[in-house]
Amino acid sequence: MSEVKQRGRRRASPSVTHELVSTPGTRREAIAAERLSSPSNISVAHLLRVHAASGTGQRVGMAMAATGLVLAVTLPSAQALDAHQIDTVASSAVSVETAVTAGAEIPITFASPEVASALNPDGMLKETLKVNASNVTPQAAKGTLGAPLKNLVTSSPFGGRISPITGQMGEQHTGQDFAIASGNEVLAAAGGTVTFSGWHQYGGGNRVVVDHGNGLSTSYNHMSANAVKVGQHVERGELVGFSGSTGASTGPHLHFEVIINDEPVDPMGWL
Ligand SMILES: [Zn+2]
């Protein structure tokens, strides 16, 4: 026993790996030494072998499989989330930030600056909605709604697409999908009054609709649970429910809609 340990210590170099396999502890040391000695040669298969040696291989394999599964089911457009899309997400997140500032270019009456300022997004939205939502220009609309999730990872965009449910071409996708695991907070995009909270009969699953006034509403779909009741006033950023995959959904995500006078429009025009 002690002799083996001594030999292990004395000869703890990659060249003695075959001698150390007899005891699990020293085998891990040997593998660790091997990893350290050639970091550039570590492959996924190699890492799996290492983890198999330490008894965690199955979990690693499951985690990797689960990651692939999640990507497959949360992106109904059947497109992998590649680096380009991540770039797009990152840059759109930046544009959401800057859009709030750019929104100050909208003609605004500063009679009540404490209401309409870049630091008061609901005040800005109120100013924007002095005209009916259908008459708001794209420039004025951009940035007036807040993100319905803490992290927006866009998946399937608004507009025509192949249905992830039926596989048919020509489906009109009425909202913007954001990839999000179940159980995360879904937030009101602006202050308003809850006009619907319940089960949507046409595929939305657990759905909440918030009316922001003058023709503008937002809806939050496929949630695992709703957190508000009809008639309740919500502030911008307030919890309306938890993400999920209820209704016509192929995996956990948030289907977010912006609705102008009962017609869905592209939510990205308002975020
Ligand atoms: Zn959707």
Side-chain angles (χ1 to χ4, degrees):
M1 178 77 178
S2 63
E3 190 190 359
V4 171
K5 274 189 166 177
Q6 278 176 0
R7 286 174 65 201
R9 282 205 191 95
R10 192 172 65 241
R11 302 182 62 189
S13 73
S15 63
V16 296
T17 304
H18 65 282
E19 290 189 51
L20 300 175
V21 169
S22 55
T23 61
T26 50
R27 183 183 179 185
R28 273 199 294 277
E29 288 170 20
I31 291 169
E34 187 188 342
R35 289 174 65 187
L36 288 171
S37 67
S38 57
S40 62
N41 290 333
I42 296 173
S43 66
V44 172
H46 175 72
L47 284 174
L48 278 174
R49 283 200 302 278
V50 171
H51 285 280
S54 59
T56 61
Q58 197 175 4
R59 267 174 292 156
V60 171
M62 286 172 66
M64 294 177 76
T67 303
L69 183 64
V70 167
L71 280 174
V73 296
T74 57
L75 300 172
S77 61
Q79 294 166 342
L81 189 63
D82 61 23
H84 171 72
Q85 283 174 297
I86 291 167
D87 268 350
T88 308
V89 171
S91 59
S92 66
V94 168
S95 71
V96 167
E97 288 285 318
T98 53
V100 175
T101 311
E105 293 162 20
I106 312 164
I108 288 175
T109 52
F110 283 98
S112 51
E114 73 283 359
V115 173
S117 82
L119 296 176
N120 183 349
D122 271 321
M124 285 182 64
L125 179 61
K126 196 174 174 184
E127 288 289 338
T128 305
L129 290 179
K130 279 186 170 175
V131 295
N132 189 279
S134 58
N135 293 324
V136 173
T137 64
Q139 294 88 338
K142 190 71 184 165
T144 52
L145 292 180
L149 297 168
K150 281 172 183 158
N151 292 305
L152 292 185
V153 179
T154 58
S155 50
S156 189
F158 175 87
R161 68 170 185 181
I162 297 170
S163 167
I165 302 291
T166 65
Q168 299 288 306
M169 298 268 296
E171 181 195 61
Q172 182 66 18
H173 186 219
T174 58
Q176 169 69 51
D177 288 349
F178 297 107
I180 181 77
S182 291
N184 284 283
E185 292 185 344
V186 176
L187 313 170
T193 304
V194 177
T195 54
F196 182 89
S197 179
W199 185 261
H200 186 238
Q201 294 187 3
Y202 304 103
N206 288 322
R207 170 181 169 101
V208 164
V209 179
V210 178
D211 183 352
H212 307 290
N214 221 357
L216 181 71
S217 296
T218 52
S219 85
Y220 312 80
N221 303 270
H222 306 311
M223 293 192 291
S224 54
N226 296 355
V228 291
K229 291 178 177 160
V230 171
Q232 184 178 336
H233 178 83
V234 290
E235 301 290 340
R236 176 181 295 244
E238 192 173 329
L239 181 74
V240 297
F242 295 92
S243 56
S245 187
T246 55
S249 170
T250 55
H253 72 284
L254 176 69
H255 173 94
F256 174 64
E257 293 178 331
V258 173
I259 303 159
I260 294 178
N261 303 319
D262 298 328
E263 280 293 319
V265 300
D266 186 355
M268 297 315 283
W270 289 76
L271 288 175

